[in-house]
Amino acid sequence: MKKVVFRKDTAQTKSLQAAGTVASATAVRHAKALDLDITYIENGNVIVEEPNGHTTVVKKLEKVTAPIVLTKGMVLHAK
């Protein structure tokens, strides 16, 4: 799966992604050491993993579409 680059400054993007990966791995390790539940999203489902390893699907997430279509150069009038 190709990663989406959301900035033109790829060096900064890569460093932010690396920092996020390290931070999330550290948070999971600390949560497991303290016997806390870990909540994460996988394949459109919110999943809770208990300290004993049992996983439970809490909610299925649905895609939300925008009610209007905005195009580049549109003028928005605020009321």
Side-chain angles (χ1 to χ4, degrees), residues 68-77:
I68 59 173
V69 177
L70 299 176
T71 58
K72 185 176 180 179
M74 285 184 67
V75 177
L76 302 176
H77 298 283

Side-chain angles (χ1 to χ4, degrees), residues 3 13-29:
K3 290 190 178 188
T13 302
K14 287 180 183 179
S15 66
L16 286 173
Q17 288 176 343
T21 302
V22 171
S24 63
T26 303
V28 168
R29 193 170 58 248

Side-chain angles (χ1 to χ4, degrees), residues 32-51:
K32 286 185 177 184
L34 295 172
D35 288 334
L36 299 175
D37 292 345
I38 300 170
T39 305
Y40 57 93
I41 298 173
E42 186 176 84
N43 297 327
N45 296 321
V46 178
I47 299 175
V48 174
E49 184 178 339
E50 298 174 6

